[in-house]
Amino acid sequence: MGVYDYHHDSGHSDRPAGHSDAPLAENEQESLTVSPYKAYVEVIADFSSDGRMKPLRLIWEDGHKYDIDSILRVDRCASLKAGGAGIRYVCRILGQRVELYYEENGFWFVTRKTPRA
């Protein structure tokens, strides 16, 4: 099994051309299309030899790192509150239930409890 943080370690990302490296809230154009309940995060994941992906650590927008204590469920699902769909990992982090989504474009997001201003 190998741990891989694609966006952090590769030196490049899958973001469309012309995308700023500024956080989403600072990018005026994207803030119009991104739900205030959606928070894009970095994730460090482990990949098994059969291709299964297991998120290990979530890195919040402010740089705080949170270890994923356990994964309770994995399914394909849409986030009705934040918008978007993908593979949903229902996780336990610091005793709290967190829904972590992996979109087909390679980005990870969580649903905020309160909307971003």
PDB file of all heavy atoms in Angstrom, residues 93-108:
ATOM      1  N   ILE A  93     -14.017  11.659  12.599  1.00  0.00           N
ATOM      2  CA  ILE A  93     -12.838  12.488  12.866  1.00  0.00           C
ATOM      3  C   ILE A  93     -13.062  13.181  14.197  1.00  0.00           C
ATOM      4  O   ILE A  93     -14.043  13.917  14.359  1.00  0.00           O
ATOM      5  CB  ILE A  93     -12.618  13.532  11.745  1.00  0.00           C
ATOM      6  CG1 ILE A  93     -12.402  12.844  10.390  1.00  0.00           C
ATOM      7  CG2 ILE A  93     -11.442  14.441  12.082  1.00  0.00           C
ATOM      8  CD1 ILE A  93     -12.299  13.796   9.211  1.00  0.00           C
ATOM      9  N   LEU A  94     -12.176  12.945  15.144  1.00  0.00           N
ATOM     10  CA  LEU A  94     -12.285  13.529  16.491  1.00  0.00           C
ATOM     11  C   LEU A  94     -13.669  13.295  17.091  1.00  0.00           C
ATOM     12  O   LEU A  94     -14.263  14.169  17.716  1.00  0.00           O
ATOM     13  CB  LEU A  94     -11.963  15.025  16.471  1.00  0.00           C
ATOM     14  CG  LEU A  94     -10.541  15.403  16.043  1.00  0.00           C
ATOM     15  CD1 LEU A  94     -10.408  16.923  15.939  1.00  0.00           C
ATOM     16  CD2 LEU A  94      -9.525  14.846  17.031  1.00  0.00           C
ATOM     17  N   GLY A  95     -14.201  12.102  16.877  1.00  0.00           N
ATOM     18  CA  GLY A  95     -15.498  11.735  17.434  1.00  0.00           C
ATOM     19  C   GLY A  95     -16.703  12.280  16.683  1.00  0.00           C
ATOM     20  O   GLY A  95     -17.834  12.013  17.054  1.00  0.00           O
ATOM     21  N   GLN A  96     -16.469  13.038  15.617  1.00  0.00           N
ATOM     22  CA  GLN A  96     -17.561  13.636  14.845  1.00  0.00           C
ATOM     23  C   GLN A  96     -17.739  12.909  13.515  1.00  0.00           C
ATOM     24  O   GLN A  96     -16.775  12.494  12.891  1.00  0.00           O
ATOM     25  CB  GLN A  96     -17.255  15.116  14.547  1.00  0.00           C
ATOM     26  CG  GLN A  96     -17.117  15.977  15.774  1.00  0.00           C
ATOM     27  CD  GLN A  96     -18.436  16.168  16.484  1.00  0.00           C
ATOM     28  OE1 GLN A  96     -19.457  16.426  15.856  1.00  0.00           O
ATOM     29  NE2 GLN A  96     -18.417  16.032  17.798  1.00  0.00           N
ATOM     30  N   ARG A  97     -18.985  12.798  13.085  1.00  0.00           N
ATOM     31  CA  ARG A  97     -19.292  12.206  11.782  1.00  0.00           C
ATOM     32  C   ARG A  97     -19.046  13.269  10.711  1.00  0.00           C
ATOM     33  O   ARG A  97     -19.569  14.375  10.782  1.00  0.00           O
ATOM     34  CB  ARG A  97     -20.748  11.773  11.744  1.00  0.00           C
ATOM     35  CG  ARG A  97     -21.163  11.097  10.471  1.00  0.00           C
ATOM     36  CD  ARG A  97     -22.642  10.700  10.579  1.00  0.00           C
ATOM     37  NE  ARG A  97     -23.077   9.951   9.434  1.00  0.00           N
ATOM     38  CZ  ARG A  97     -23.625  10.483   8.355  1.00  0.00           C
ATOM     39  NH1 ARG A  97     -23.795  11.784   8.268  1.00  0.00           N
ATOM     40  NH2 ARG A  97     -24.013   9.729   7.357  1.00  0.00           N
ATOM     41  N   VAL A  98     -18.229  12.937   9.715  1.00  0.00           N
ATOM     42  CA  VAL A  98     -17.884  13.853   8.632  1.00  0.00           C
ATOM     43  C   VAL A  98     -18.112  13.143   7.304  1.00  0.00           C
ATOM     44  O   VAL A  98     -17.683  12.002   7.127  1.00  0.00           O
ATOM     45  CB  VAL A  98     -16.401  14.310   8.729  1.00  0.00           C
ATOM     46  CG1 VAL A  98     -16.015  15.170   7.550  1.00  0.00           C
ATOM     47  CG2 VAL A  98     -16.145  15.027  10.039  1.00  0.00           C
ATOM     48  N   GLU A  99     -18.789  13.822   6.388  1.00  0.00           N
ATOM     49  CA  GLU A  99     -18.977  13.275   5.048  1.00  0.00           C
ATOM     50  C   GLU A  99     -17.947  13.914   4.130  1.00  0.00           C
ATOM     51  O   GLU A  99     -17.962  15.118   3.903  1.00  0.00           O
ATOM     52  CB  GLU A  99     -20.394  13.535   4.545  1.00  0.00           C
ATOM     53  CG  GLU A  99     -21.431  12.761   5.316  1.00  0.00           C
ATOM     54  CD  GLU A  99     -22.830  12.925   4.767  1.00  0.00           C
ATOM     55  OE1 GLU A  99     -23.020  13.663   3.773  1.00  0.00           O
ATOM     56  OE2 GLU A  99     -23.741  12.309   5.342  1.00  0.00           O
ATOM     57  N   LEU A 100     -17.050  13.098   3.626  1.00  0.00           N
ATOM     58  CA  LEU A 100     -15.963  13.527   2.749  1.00  0.00           C
ATOM     59  C   LEU A 100     -16.264  12.997   1.359  1.00  0.00           C
ATOM     60  O   LEU A 100     -16.542  11.800   1.195  1.00  0.00           O
ATOM     61  CB  LEU A 100     -14.633  12.966   3.279  1.00  0.00           C
ATOM     62  CG  LEU A 100     -13.387  13.190   2.465  1.00  0.00           C
ATOM     63  CD1 LEU A 100     -13.049  14.678   2.380  1.00  0.00           C
ATOM     64  CD2 LEU A 100     -12.217  12.425   3.102  1.00  0.00           C
ATOM     65  N   TYR A 101     -16.237  13.880   0.363  1.00  0.00           N
ATOM     66  CA  TYR A 101     -16.574  13.496  -1.004  1.00  0.00           C
ATOM     67  C   TYR A 101     -15.354  13.583  -1.912  1.00  0.00           C
ATOM     68  O   TYR A 101     -14.582  14.526  -1.827  1.00  0.00           O
ATOM     69  CB  TYR A 101     -17.654  14.428  -1.570  1.00  0.00           C
ATOM     70  CG  TYR A 101     -18.998  14.283  -0.912  1.00  0.00           C
ATOM     71  CD1 TYR A 101     -19.296  14.982   0.250  1.00  0.00           C
ATOM     72  CD2 TYR A 101     -19.968  13.447  -1.450  1.00  0.00           C
ATOM     73  CE1 TYR A 101     -20.536  14.851   0.865  1.00  0.00           C
ATOM     74  CE2 TYR A 101     -21.209  13.323  -0.849  1.00  0.00           C
ATOM     75  CZ  TYR A 101     -21.479  14.026   0.307  1.00  0.00           C
ATOM     76  OH  TYR A 101     -22.701  13.892   0.902  1.00  0.00           O
ATOM     77  N   TYR A 102     -15.227  12.594  -2.801  1.00  0.00           N
ATOM     78  CA  TYR A 102     -14.197  12.597  -3.831  1.00  0.00           C
ATOM     79  C   TYR A 102     -14.906  12.747  -5.175  1.00  0.00           C
ATOM     80  O   TYR A 102     -15.643  11.867  -5.607  1.00  0.00           O
ATOM     81  CB  TYR A 102     -13.380  11.309  -3.795  1.00  0.00           C
ATOM     82  CG  TYR A 102     -12.304  11.259  -4.851  1.00  0.00           C
ATOM     83  CD1 TYR A 102     -11.155  12.026  -4.725  1.00  0.00           C
ATOM     84  CD2 TYR A 102     -12.440  10.450  -5.973  1.00  0.00           C
ATOM     85  CE1 TYR A 102     -10.163  11.998  -5.687  1.00  0.00           C
ATOM     86  CE2 TYR A 102     -11.448  10.407  -6.942  1.00  0.00           C
ATOM     87  CZ  TYR A 102     -10.328  11.180  -6.796  1.00  0.00           C
ATOM     88  OH  TYR A 102      -9.336  11.155  -7.756  1.00  0.00           O
ATOM     89  N   GLU A 103     -14.708  13.897  -5.823  1.00  0.00           N
ATOM     90  CA  GLU A 103     -15.351  14.157  -7.106  1.00  0.00           C
ATOM     91  C   GLU A 103     -14.564  13.501  -8.238  1.00  0.00           C
ATOM     92  O   GLU A 103     -13.363  13.264  -8.111  1.00  0.00           O
ATOM     93  CB  GLU A 103     -15.436  15.666  -7.366  1.00  0.00           C
ATOM     94  CG  GLU A 103     -16.319  16.402  -6.380  1.00  0.00           C
ATOM     95  CD  GLU A 103     -16.344  17.891  -6.637  1.00  0.00           C
ATOM     96  OE1 GLU A 103     -15.277  18.506  -6.786  1.00  0.00           O
ATOM     97  OE2 GLU A 103     -17.444  18.441  -6.684  1.00  0.00           O
ATOM     98  N   GLU A 104     -15.208  13.277  -9.341  1.00  0.00           N
ATOM     99  CA  GLU A 104     -14.562  12.656 -10.495  1.00  0.00           C
ATOM    100  C   GLU A 104     -13.462  13.521 -11.083  1.00  0.00           C
ATOM    101  O   GLU A 104     -12.593  13.027 -11.781  1.00  0.00           O
ATOM    102  CB  GLU A 104     -15.598  12.305 -11.560  1.00  0.00           C
ATOM    103  CG  GLU A 104     -16.503  11.173 -11.134  1.00  0.00           C
ATOM    104  CD  GLU A 104     -17.516  10.788 -12.195  1.00  0.00           C
ATOM    105  OE1 GLU A 104     -17.418  11.288 -13.334  1.00  0.00           O
ATOM    106  OE2 GLU A 104     -18.393   9.978 -11.880  1.00  0.00           O
ATOM    107  N   ASN A 105     -13.466  14.824 -10.784  1.00  0.00           N
ATOM    108  CA  ASN A 105     -12.411  15.712 -11.279  1.00  0.00           C
ATOM    109  C   ASN A 105     -11.154  15.648 -10.408  1.00  0.00           C
ATOM    110  O   ASN A 105     -10.196  16.362 -10.662  1.00  0.00           O
ATOM    111  CB  ASN A 105     -12.927  17.149 -11.382  1.00  0.00           C
ATOM    112  CG  ASN A 105     -13.351  17.728 -10.046  1.00  0.00           C
ATOM    113  OD1 ASN A 105     -13.171  17.121  -8.991  1.00  0.00           O
ATOM    114  ND2 ASN A 105     -13.922  18.912 -10.082  1.00  0.00           N
ATOM    115  N   GLY A 106     -11.157  14.798  -9.376  1.00  0.00           N
ATOM    116  CA  GLY A 106      -9.983  14.615  -8.537  1.00  0.00           C
ATOM    117  C   GLY A 106      -9.931  15.495  -7.304  1.00  0.00           C
ATOM    118  O   GLY A 106      -8.955  15.455  -6.561  1.00  0.00           O
ATOM    119  N   PHE A 107     -10.966  16.281  -7.060  1.00  0.00           N
ATOM    120  CA  PHE A 107     -10.997  17.150  -5.891  1.00  0.00           C
ATOM    121  C   PHE A 107     -11.789  16.516  -4.756  1.00  0.00           C
ATOM    122  O   PHE A 107     -12.726  15.747  -4.991  1.00  0.00           O
ATOM    123  CB  PHE A 107     -11.619  18.515  -6.240  1.00  0.00           C
ATOM    124  CG  PHE A 107     -10.738  19.346  -7.119  1.00  0.00           C
ATOM    125  CD1 PHE A 107     -10.964  19.418  -8.475  1.00  0.00           C
ATOM    126  CD2 PHE A 107      -9.677  20.055  -6.586  1.00  0.00           C
ATOM    127  CE1 PHE A 107     -10.156  20.186  -9.293  1.00  0.00           C
ATOM    128  CE2 PHE A 107      -8.863  20.827  -7.397  1.00  0.00           C
ATOM    129  CZ  PHE A 107      -9.099  20.893  -8.749  1.00  0.00           C
ATOM    130  N   TRP A 108     -11.408  16.859  -3.537  1.00  0.00           N
ATOM    131  CA  TRP A 108     -12.090  16.405  -2.326  1.00  0.00           C
ATOM    132  C   TRP A 108     -12.826  17.593  -1.713  1.00  0.00           C
ATOM    133  O   TRP A 108     -12.322  18.701  -1.727  1.00  0.00           O
ATOM    134  CB  TRP A 108     -11.075  15.914  -1.300  1.00  0.00           C
ATOM    135  CG  TRP A 108     -10.330  14.675  -1.677  1.00  0.00           C
ATOM    136  CD1 TRP A 108      -9.161  14.608  -2.384  1.00  0.00           C
ATOM    137  CD2 TRP A 108     -10.666  13.329  -1.336  1.00  0.00           C
ATOM    138  NE1 TRP A 108      -8.763  13.297  -2.500  1.00  0.00           N
ATOM    139  CE2 TRP A 108      -9.664  12.492  -1.858  1.00  0.00           C
ATOM    140  CE3 TRP A 108     -11.716  12.747  -0.624  1.00  0.00           C
ATOM    141  CZ2 TRP A 108      -9.679  11.110  -1.704  1.00  0.00           C
ATOM    142  CZ3 TRP A 108     -11.733  11.371  -0.463  1.00  0.00           C
ATOM    143  CH2 TRP A 108     -10.719  10.563  -1.006  1.00  0.00           C
TER     144      TRP A 108
END
